[in-house]
Amino acid sequence: MSRSTRSKPKPQASEGQPTARVEPLVHLGPERVTNVASEDMPNATAGVEDQGWNAEAFKAQLGISILSLSPSEIEFDIIGIDAAIANALRRIMIAEVPTVAIETVFVFNNTSIVQDEVLSQRLGLVPLKINPRQIDFKTPDEGPTDLNTVVFSLLAKCEHRPGHDPDEKDPDELYIDSNVFSGKLEWKPQGAQESMFDTDATRPRPVQDDILLAKLRPGQTISVELHCNKGNGKTHAKWSPVATASYRLMPHIRILKPIPEHLCEKFKSCFQPGVIGIKRDLDGTKCCSVDDPRRDTVSREVLRHPEFEGYVSLGRVRDHFIYNVESTGQYEPEDLLEEACGVMLSKIQAVRASLHELSDSGAKMDVS
């Protein structure tokens, strides 16, 4: 998809104040990184007296665009927010967007070589395709119900495969159910769950059917019942909806003056492939251009060569965040940011309500 662009409103400077806006860049030098800390208000502009929050100005410069999307991964940009908000969204995606995972394992029979505790741990880490919006949180003082618990069963028994070749060595040919995969988990509807999950798309199941849980040999059996509850990643990683969630600042490369023709190839080799392009001017002279700064890893290799001193400046755009998020399967990748924003909004509402309550109680104390 194509990237969206933004145009920032020009600041209105007070009389006697400069009108130039300082670029929101983190500056990269050969030995150090400067202009890292942000001590002003988000999106504040140097030289402007009115630094009050303006929702319309914020919306005008806010930009979100999706760069790539697959069934399990998304790369997107958020432009125009502060690092505190960017990192809060990342942390919420990792630790506070709720999912449903196996919480309790009832072991009826386990004669495999995998201990009960290890088997339970493996089962708990199997990502489940269960819509968390349809399940309630289970409080410590309430028992399992069809509204807060999803039940699976796992029954596996290894046997000799009849009629196999006596010289056969492959366990898959010698035995039946010698490998226990996550696809063996069978959903057991409870109460009204048949109507809650009434389509094949919503039916509770493992995200992947080929996760190996245990290896069995003839005579070995696993029989367990699994109770799944809603939770979030700050309690245990099994409830985290993402495998990875990271962001980086957009690289900023500016060629200050034309690179000498005989140094163009060397200059290009100082960056990742695709970052710098070489073309010819109208007079046939080679020149370098910045083609795709997004590909740059900010290695600063170019700053180690004295012949390029004064020819290029490197930085990162302070308010342009490139996110890479990989879903574990409970949510579609494109839904994770929306869910994180919803969690953040609920936290803001809780803080606002607490502040109002505190303010009201303070006013009553003053009156009394």
Side-chain angles (χ1 to χ4, degrees):
M1 299 184 183
S2 60
R3 292 178 54 207
S4 64
T5 59
R6 58 167 181 169
S7 59
K8 293 195 174 183
K10 294 182 179 180
Q12 299 297 321
S14 302
E15 184 177 355
Q17 296 286 348
T19 59
R21 181 184 184 276
V22 178
E23 284 188 310
L25 294 179
V26 175
H27 302 300
L28 303 175
E31 303 294 339
R32 61 177 183 159
V33 180
T34 59
N35 201 32
V36 176
S38 176
E39 298 178 354
D40 52 14
M41 293 177 58
N43 301 307
T45 303
V48 179
E49 289 185 355
D50 183 12
Q51 300 287 4
W53 172 257
N54 188 317
E56 293 303 320
F58 172 76
K59 289 191 290 184
Q61 65 185 358
L62 178 66
I64 301 177
S65 56
I66 297 176
L67 278 301
S68 65
L69 178 63
S70 70
S72 62
E73 193 170 356
I74 185 172
E75 179 182 353
F76 61 92
D77 289 4
I78 301 182
I79 307 170
I81 61 174
D82 190 70
I85 302 300
N87 195 47
L89 291 173
R90 180 189 69 87
R91 292 176 64 90
I92 289 173
M93 281 189 278
I94 293 173
E96 298 191 56
V97 173
T99 65
V100 179
I102 296 169
E103 172 67 357
T104 308
V105 179
F106 297 94
V107 181
F108 301 131
N109 190 12
N110 176 25
T111 56
S112 72
I113 64 170
V114 183
Q115 297 93 333
D116 293 354
E117 295 83 357
V118 177
L119 179 62
S120 299
Q121 175 75 356
R122 290 185 180 181
L123 288 166
L125 293 174
V126 173
L128 302 175
K129 191 70 173 179
I130 302 175
N131 188 352
R133 305 175 189 90
Q134 297 181 264
I135 299 295
D136 297 335
F137 282 100
K138 180 175 175 290
T139 60
D141 57 346
E142 69 176 338
T145 69
D146 57 344
L147 298 178
N148 61 30
T149 303
V150 177
V151 178
F152 286 89
S153 68
L154 172 61
L155 178 60
K157 183 179 181 181
C158 182
E159 299 175 338
H160 285 283
R161 189 180 299 277
H164 66 266
D165 188 337
D167 297 326
E168 182 63 61
K169 303 297 182 184
D170 185 359
D172 292 335
E173 298 296 331
L174 287 173
Y175 314 122
I176 299 173
D177 284 344
S178 61
N179 294 324
V180 182
F181 292 103
S182 55
K184 296 275 299 177
L185 297 179
E186 183 179 353
W187 172 49
K188 298 295 184 182
Q190 307 294 314
Q193 289 182 354
E194 285 278 16
S195 58
M196 291 170 57
F197 308 104
D198 56 353
T199 65
D200 289 339
T202 60
R203 180 180 60 84
R205 64 190 186 278
V207 173
Q208 292 96 15
D209 291 336
D210 58 351
I211 300 174
L212 183 63
L213 302 174
K215 287 180 175 287
L216 302 180
R217 288 299 178 262
Q220 294 180 343
T221 301
I222 293 177
S223 176
V224 297
E225 183 175 280
L226 317 168
H227 286 198
C228 312
N229 300 122
K230 188 175 180 178
N232 48 48
K234 65 182 179 183
T235 303
H236 194 286
K238 66 185 179 183
W239 278 300
S240 179
V242 299
T244 58
S246 63
Y247 67 78
R248 60 191 177 98
L249 293 177
M250 180 69 173
H252 183 273
I253 304 168
R254 185 169 60 179
I255 298 176
L256 303 176
K257 55 184 177 180
I259 307 299
E261 187 172 5
H262 68 282
L263 293 176
C264 283
E265 291 295 339
K266 183 176 182 179
F267 183 80
K268 179 180 178 180
S269 68
C270 291
F271 298 87
Q272 289 293 310
V275 176
I276 300 297
I278 299 177
K279 58 185 179 181
R280 292 189 180 272
D281 289 337
L282 296 177
D283 59 359
T285 304
K286 282 186 179 180
C287 64
C288 294
S289 62
V290 181
D291 287 355
D292 190 0
R294 178 183 296 274
R295 294 172 178 263
D296 187 39
T297 59
V298 197
S299 66
R300 293 186 281 177
E301 172 65 25
V302 69
L303 301 180
R304 298 185 174 95
H305 300 277
E307 57 266 37
F308 296 129
E309 185 176 353
Y311 281 88
V312 63
S313 68
L314 303 180
R316 289 198 174 194
V317 183
R318 187 197 297 276
D319 62 350
H320 187 153
F321 299 89
I322 303 172
Y323 282 82
N324 285 91
V325 178
E326 182 181 358
S327 171
T328 54
Q330 293 96 329
Y331 292 92
E332 298 298 326
E334 61 270 26
D335 293 338
L336 285 167
L337 178 61
E338 182 179 353
E339 293 292 329
C341 290
V343 173
M344 179 181 284
L345 181 60
S346 66
K347 293 163 79 74
I348 293 171
Q349 291 170 342
V351 171
R352 178 182 294 173
S354 299
L355 290 174
H356 284 313
E357 183 179 347
L358 184 63
S359 176
D360 293 342
S361 62
K364 291 178 181 178
M365 292 178 62
D366 291 341
V367 172
S368 61

